[in-house]
Amino acid sequence: MIEIHEQAGAQGAPLAGYLAALQEPETGIDVVRDRWLSQMADTERLLAAYALSSGDTTPSLQPV
């Protein structure tokens, strides 16, 4: 996320709104590991798509 913000310039990238529009918020106190890993994989996928759509053809996002 930091890399995407840095590449977006001084104002950063609107990642919070982007992710909020595409994912359900987690409201539980405790999250089962399998569900958390699935959520993390989905977030990584969405961040890679965002990076590609903003012109970065080689995002260096690391899988969790």
Side-chain angles (χ1 to χ4, degrees):
M1 287 186 200
I2 293 171
E3 184 178 344
I4 292 172
H5 276 295
E6 288 174 348
Q7 291 176 356
Q11 62 193 15
L15 292 178
Y18 171 72
L19 293 172
L22 297 171
Q23 295 178 316
E24 292 292 322
E26 180 58 61
T27 59
I29 294 172
D30 224 359
V31 181
V32 176
R33 183 174 178 85
D34 288 340
R35 179 172 166 85
W36 180 77
L37 290 173
S38 176
Q39 291 170 332
M40 291 298 295
D42 184 54
T43 299
E44 292 292 337
R45 178 187 62 80
L46 291 172
L47 291 172
Y50 184 92
L52 288 173
S53 71
S54 64
D56 183 2
T57 57
T58 57
S60 64
L61 298 172
Q62 301 292 324
V64 176

